[in-house]
Amino acid sequence: MTQATFDVAMLATPEIDYYADETSENWRCYCDRHGYNFVLWREAVLPDMHLIWSKIELMRRHIEQTEADWLVVVDADTTVNLPDLPLSHLVEKHPNKDFIISEDVSRRMGLPIPLCTLSVRLSRSWRPPNCGFMMIRANEFGLRFVTEWLQHGRGDCAHVADLFPREQRILWMTLFQTEAEKIAVLGPEVMRIGNNRVLDHYFTNWDGAFVLHDKRLPRNVQEPTLGQFPDG
């Protein structure tokens, strides 16, 4: 069986370099270790829309030209926690899925707790998707998916496309429901931390998480040190 190939991309504009320099290096080292191509997107490409929508357009452009089987898009506040694991292990756990995405929850004692009622209501799921970690097949499906996502943001959902959480909100309202059979929502493989440090310390263990989505990083006013995670 031919081994799947992966491109990994991150959108990190210069104003967040105070933490993205280190997180992007974390991902770059991971990609070098496994032979993946790492791409750092540095600027917005859609002047008529919020910055975050540039990520969706950049995904579209990348899928059009890449030779990889999968495009993996990670937020600048994510890091690899278990660097020995290849990305293929996530694909193998979710056969016949074309879009694999992290969950929009905190996990307390292993249980998924939705981050807000809005996500549950709009996605019609107790485990809504979170766009901090996404894997999409770089084929006709992937190109159509991201193209329609952007079209929703500019078309029938334009009135809420700039309301936080923007592209995630539109995903909840549209493609997450219409393309449900092609989508897999990850569990504790991608762990969200940093929403509540006390609860994180006592009720969340991320030792086994492949990726950490650390919401402390954007709030730090000084350059963070990724090695200073508290014990899980």
Side-chain angles (χ1 to χ4, degrees):
M1 180 180 295
T2 304
Q3 189 75 13
T5 55
F6 300 87
D7 287 348
V8 178
M10 174 189 290
L11 174 61
T13 52
E15 60 267 22
I16 63 170
D17 281 351
Y18 70 94
Y19 67 91
D21 278 350
E22 198 164 353
T23 59
S24 61
E25 184 61 20
N26 170 276
W27 277 103
R28 190 184 305 278
C29 290
Y30 172 76
C31 290
D32 288 346
R33 184 175 192 150
H34 292 275
Y36 307 144
N37 179 43
F38 179 73
V39 180
L40 190 62
W41 296 324
R42 296 292 283 165
E43 60 184 20
V45 294
L46 296 178
D48 60 322
M49 301 184 79
H50 186 275
L51 167 66
I52 200 63
W53 282 102
S54 287
K55 179 170 69 173
I56 309 305
E57 170 62 13
L58 287 163
M59 290 172 67
R60 187 192 66 78
R61 296 181 187 184
H62 193 94
I63 290 173
E64 280 189 323
Q65 57 85 33
T66 187
E67 295 182 359
D69 298 314
W70 288 83
L71 172 61
V72 181
V73 181
V74 300
D75 275 4
D77 55 358
T78 64
T79 56
V80 179
N81 188 48
L82 298 178
D84 288 337
L85 287 179
L87 289 166
S88 57
H89 88 280
L90 295 178
V91 174
E92 291 164 1
K93 289 178 68 174
H94 300 282
N96 303 317
K97 300 299 183 180
D98 296 315
F99 185 57
I100 302 172
I101 186 168
S102 55
E103 58 185 4
D104 196 48
V105 307
S106 291
R107 285 195 170 254
R108 308 301 182 197
M109 301 181 69
L111 299 176
I113 310 298
L115 296 174
C116 66
T117 57
L118 177 68
S119 64
V120 172
R121 180 169 58 84
L122 293 183
S123 69
R124 302 177 186 177
S125 171
W126 287 105
R127 291 199 309 120
N130 181 283
C131 297
F133 180 92
M134 299 183 286
M135 307 178 68
I136 190 164
R137 287 192 194 271
N139 58 11
E140 291 184 6
F141 168 85
L143 184 59
R144 176 179 61 80
F145 189 95
V146 295
T147 299
E148 290 183 7
W149 195 349
L150 188 58
Q151 288 173 345
H152 283 302
R154 281 185 159 150
D156 58 316
C157 298
H159 60 294
V160 291
D162 197 36
L163 296 179
F164 183 84
R166 302 180 182 90
E167 91 291 9
Q168 196 163 282
R169 175 191 290 260
I170 305 308
L171 178 64
W172 294 339
M173 295 170 60
T174 60
L175 293 164
F176 184 64
Q177 298 174 47
T178 60
E179 300 288 348
E181 292 184 357
K182 294 291 187 177
I183 298 174
V185 178
L186 296 170
E189 297 95 340
V190 179
M191 188 81 74
R192 188 184 181 100
I193 63 174
N195 291 87
N196 186 306
R197 295 192 184 208
V198 174
L199 293 180
D200 281 351
H201 184 78
Y202 290 104
F203 299 108
T204 299
N205 186 317
W206 54 78
D207 289 346
F210 169 50
V211 169
L212 301 180
H213 193 177
D214 190 346
K215 303 312 291 183
R216 297 170 300 177
L217 297 183
R219 294 196 293 265
N220 288 347
V221 295
Q222 298 179 343
E223 184 177 354
T225 300
L226 295 180
Q228 293 179 347
F229 292 133
D231 292 339

